[in-house]
Amino acid sequence: MVDLTSKPYYLNQEQINFLKQTLKEMTTEAKIGQLFFVVGQDEDQVDLAAFAAKYQPGGIMYRPDKAAKIKREVTSLQTHSAIPMFVAANLESGGNGLVAEGTWLGTPMEMAATNDANAAYQLGNVAGYEARQVGANMSFAPIVDIDNNFRNPIMNVRTFGSDKNRVLKMSQAQAKGLTANQIIPVIKHFPGDGVDERDQHLLASVNSLTADDWMESYGQIYHQLIEDGIPTIMIAHIMQPAWERRLEPGINDTQLRPASSSKLLIDGLLRNVLKFNGLTITDATPMIGYNAALAREELLPTTINAGIDMILFNKNIDEDYKIIRQAVANGTISAERLDEAVTRILATKLAQGIMATDGQLLTPAPKGLDLKLTEHAEIAKQVAKKAVTLVKDRDHLLPITPKKYPRIRLYVLGDSDDGGFKEGGHVTDLFKVQLEQAGFEVTLYNRQKLDFHEVFEEGVQDLKAKFDLALYVANVETASNQTTTRLDWIHLMAADAPWFMKSIPTIFVSTANPYHLFDIPNVSTFINAYTGNQATIEATVRKLTGQESFEGISPVDPFCGHFETHL
């Protein structure tokens, strides 16, 4: 049974009595509904009242949309829900994780580059405040993964870096900022991303650390956050074979499972070893990393029986509900296990102030709508000023001025939308305008309309006649369902690559990936900005032109462990 009087619940007797009575009065169908954390529903496509009544979900997770619309949808769903719902979003980098016009404060790695925990606190505070304005009460953040592998295409700047102590300090601060705004922090992605170079959206990736090394790194972070009273953990489609083998010596390789369906990793490692008594939620179950483990009709009940309390998203919602309904009916999921999961769900809602002991919602959206965007934009500027990092300036090209380099050719890489859930927008126009306002003549390299004469026949002097400095900006963002964030030059002769970098001053700025030196090791000057938002681009241009100094401290090794990247 779940101990409701201890961490992270600390329920009083009135709350416990209410929970037990509610559980007793709930139908099996209502209990099954609580297990599901469904995708956000659109008022233009769905009758929200009918949806809430039919599915009775325990939680709902929204992607970004206009604030007024999100607020209406959330209010309608909560009004028609018998039990108040968790309302979550990926508040990883600011309020823009839920509110389309919200503040993109910056990536976690940008916060870490300030080396100031207050930046991470403000990340939680700003995102939490804006999310609360539209009725949210939960954040799928902080991310507590460790960036151990520069080739990993999904974590990268979404993490607080490669130092476990910094990751912990920043995660604690972000969680406090969220909690200050009545937003429940959900740490992720247990048992830890950032070791494998593959994306769990596409397969079950592997945390390949030994059991002892895991405990000395990821384990320490989870242990301390559990000690702090973190209420909720997201369980990833990531394997941790060493711990499964330690807990069940002789286990066959074919029996190893990603954490989202592993009883050894949830009931064993997380609950028994790390002593986590709180709520567990899967990462999104449409991911291939989840569905490749077992057939879905077997996998969903296995997930609940592994010790996980809530299932995030569906493929076909009616099909998934039917699978769980049948598993409960035939005893695959016992009544005791169902009640245990629902107890944790309701207890979290009570403990976190979402639900009162009369069953009413305690955290409705405020009547007004004030996102404080101007105030939050100032915070973003303060963070950017402290975060932008000069990695190297071998030939002392900095600062750049219109007198030294009047004509700049601007090359922008990766500034496109090609699917996946990306955090930011485009940086091309922002850089061009900022540089022109600083007095430079800027020409943009057109990747869609190549100058074939230049590509095949022009030399150094031909290019010197066109520009005095080449400024490369890479906005190659992490995004779901992609296999790499490497630089991808135009395949025809690498037409946009700086073959001339030893002859013409060349500067490289990355707004989304700190590891691009791996692909362009010989460039003279390399800057990591971590985030492609306006505040960070403005700070980067100020630093390029010598108006302010570089203050950022790299949270990772931008040289990727290679000697040639230092040259």
Side-chain angles (χ1 to χ4, degrees):
M1 286 299 294
V2 182
D3 184 354
L4 299 175
T5 63
S6 66
K7 191 182 298 177
Y9 307 110
Y10 298 116
L11 298 189
N12 59 39
Q13 196 57 52
E14 180 186 7
Q15 291 171 315
I16 292 172
N17 292 341
F18 167 77
L19 192 158
K20 289 181 177 179
Q21 186 62 29
T22 301
L23 197 65
K24 183 178 179 180
E25 294 174 356
M26 289 175 73
T27 64
T28 298
E29 192 72 13
K31 292 177 182 178
I32 289 171
Q34 286 296 300
L35 303 183
F36 284 94
F37 215 117
V38 299
V39 68
Q41 299 297 303
D42 190 323
E43 64 185 7
D44 298 328
Q45 301 179 27
V46 174
D47 182 331
L48 298 180
F51 181 90
K54 177 179 180 180
Y55 296 107
Q56 306 176 69
I60 191 163
M61 187 266 196
Y62 270 93
R63 298 287 183 187
D65 207 336
K66 290 292 186 181
K69 183 181 180 186
I70 291 279
K71 185 175 182 178
R72 280 196 310 271
E73 291 168 339
V74 169
T75 300
S76 178
L77 286 162
Q78 292 286 36
T79 299
H80 294 95
S81 181
I83 295 174
M85 288 188 293
F86 294 123
V87 179
N90 280 336
L91 303 178
E92 298 176 3
S93 298
N96 67 326
L98 177 58
V99 177
E101 64 266 43
T103 304
W104 185 17
L105 196 74
T107 62
M109 192 169 286
E110 182 170 11
M111 306 304 118
T114 69
N115 203 32
D116 182 358
N118 183 59
Y121 175 84
Q122 291 298 344
L123 178 58
N125 181 47
V126 168
Y129 175 85
E130 293 180 7
R132 275 291 301 125
Q133 286 293 300
V134 298
N137 54 39
M138 178 176 274
S139 166
F140 289 158
I143 292 174
V144 302
D145 298 311
I146 305 172
D147 204 37
N148 283 321
N149 189 335
F150 73 89
R151 292 182 176 87
N152 185 293
I154 187 65
M155 298 317 302
N156 200 300
V157 291
R158 294 175 67 206
T159 75
F160 288 114
S162 58
D163 182 329
K164 66 180 180 182
N165 296 318
R166 184 187 285 111
V167 170
L168 176 59
K169 177 178 70 173
M170 295 286 171
S171 299
Q172 289 171 317
Q174 185 183 4
K176 287 178 181 176
L178 290 163
T179 302
N181 290 278
Q182 296 179 289
I183 300 292
I184 303 169
V186 180
I187 58 173
K188 61 184 184 183
H189 306 80
F190 182 86
D193 210 336
V195 177
D196 202 334
E197 66 181 83
R198 298 169 294 180
D199 175 10
Q200 60 153 335
H201 291 79
L202 299 171
L203 46 82
S205 59
V206 181
N207 184 311
S208 57
L209 298 181
T210 67
D212 289 340
D213 286 345
W214 187 90
M215 282 300 292
E216 288 297 315
S217 53
Y218 293 88
Q220 284 190 12
I221 293 170
Y222 279 99
H223 171 75
Q224 187 57 58
L225 289 168
I226 289 168
E227 283 293 301
D228 291 347
I230 202 75
T232 314
I233 297 177
M234 177 175 281
I235 311 303
H237 317 310
I238 297 174
M239 306 176 82
Q240 218 303 315
W243 261 106
E244 286 201 295
R245 291 184 177 117
R246 174 170 289 187
L247 292 168
E248 187 176 321
I251 186 173
N252 190 284
D253 285 355
T254 60
Q255 297 174 300
L256 297 173
R257 296 280 179 266
S260 51
S261 55
S262 170
K263 190 173 181 64
L264 290 171
L265 294 179
I266 305 306
D267 276 351
L269 176 57
L270 185 58
R271 299 229 184 265
N272 293 335
V273 177
L274 295 177
K275 308 300 181 186
F276 181 62
N277 187 37
L279 180 70
T280 50
I281 305 170
T282 70
D283 206 335
T285 62
M287 292 184 190
I288 300 172
Y290 179 74
N291 290 288
L294 295 166
R296 196 169 177 93
E297 58 267 28
E298 181 183 356
L299 184 56
L300 291 174
T302 297
T303 294
I304 300 300
N305 286 333
I308 291 173
D309 304 307
M310 298 189 77
I311 295 164
L312 180 61
F313 295 171
N314 310 98
K315 291 299 283 185
N316 180 303
I317 189 169
D318 293 311
E319 181 179 87
D320 284 355
Y321 268 59
K322 182 180 179 181
I323 289 169
I324 296 296
R325 196 180 296 121
Q326 289 178 338
V328 171
N330 65 27
T332 300
I333 297 174
S334 68
E336 292 76 18
R337 174 64 195 118
L338 178 61
D339 282 356
E340 179 185 51
V342 176
T343 294
R344 283 201 175 94
I345 295 164
L346 299 183
T348 301
K349 292 178 178 181
L350 286 165
Q352 297 299 315
I354 291 177
M355 180 170 63
T357 51
D358 60 0
Q360 296 302 303
L361 175 69
L362 286 174
T363 55
K367 290 185 178 180
L369 182 61
D370 179 12
L371 296 174
K372 295 186 178 180
L373 296 180
T374 301
E375 178 181 327
H376 294 164
E378 286 301 313
I379 297 173
K381 290 179 181 179
Q382 294 166 19
V383 168
K385 182 178 183 295
K386 297 180 67 173
V388 178
T389 306
L390 177 61
V391 176
K392 73 174 183 177
D393 186 26
R394 181 190 64 222
D395 299 331
H396 306 292
L397 301 181
L398 299 177
I400 63 173
T401 65
K403 185 176 181 180
K404 286 171 63 178
Y405 309 111
R407 300 167 304 164
I408 292 178
R409 175 178 279 187
L410 179 62
Y411 294 79
V412 183
L413 312 173
D415 208 19
S416 60
D417 297 317
D418 59 354
F421 293 109
K422 294 189 176 185
E423 188 74 43
H426 301 162
V427 303
T428 301
D429 291 343
L430 286 168
F431 267 102
K432 188 171 187 294
V433 168
Q434 288 294 309
L435 290 165
E436 287 174 341
Q437 288 178 351
F440 297 96
E441 178 188 325
V442 182
T443 56
L444 182 65
Y445 186 84
N446 191 337
R447 300 178 91 239
Q448 277 68 50
K449 190 176 181 181
L450 297 181
D451 180 339
F452 291 100
H453 181 266
E454 178 179 303
V455 171
F456 288 101
E457 298 180 291
E458 290 188 0
V460 170
Q461 294 306 315
D462 298 300
L463 295 184
K464 282 186 174 182
K466 298 178 181 180
F467 58 91
D468 306 296
L469 180 140
L471 177 61
Y472 279 79
V473 176
N475 190 39
V476 184
E477 295 180 274
T478 58
S480 57
N481 304 302
Q482 66 183 10
T483 57
T484 183
T485 50
R486 298 277 299 278
L487 294 180
D488 188 21
W489 308 110
I490 291 172
H491 296 174
L492 176 66
M493 297 289 292
D496 55 346
W499 64 270
F500 49 77
M501 72 179 89
K502 291 287 186 171
S503 302
I504 300 175
T506 302
I507 294 174
F508 194 101
V509 176
S510 172
T511 60
N513 185 325
Y515 300 120
H516 286 315
L517 268 177
F518 184 70
D519 284 321
I520 187 167
N522 300 112
V523 73
S524 166
T525 304
F526 188 93
I527 295 163
N528 274 326
Y530 310 106
T531 306
N533 62 0
Q534 182 172 344
T536 306
I537 291 169
E538 289 175 353
T540 301
V541 173
R542 289 196 305 271
K543 294 173 192 299
L544 281 168
T545 55
Q547 298 174 61
E548 66 184 39
S549 61
F550 288 89
E551 300 180 42
I553 299 172
S554 182
V556 295
D557 173 19
F559 299 99
C560 308
H562 284 248
F563 79 91
E564 72 277 10
T565 55
H566 290 268
L567 302 178

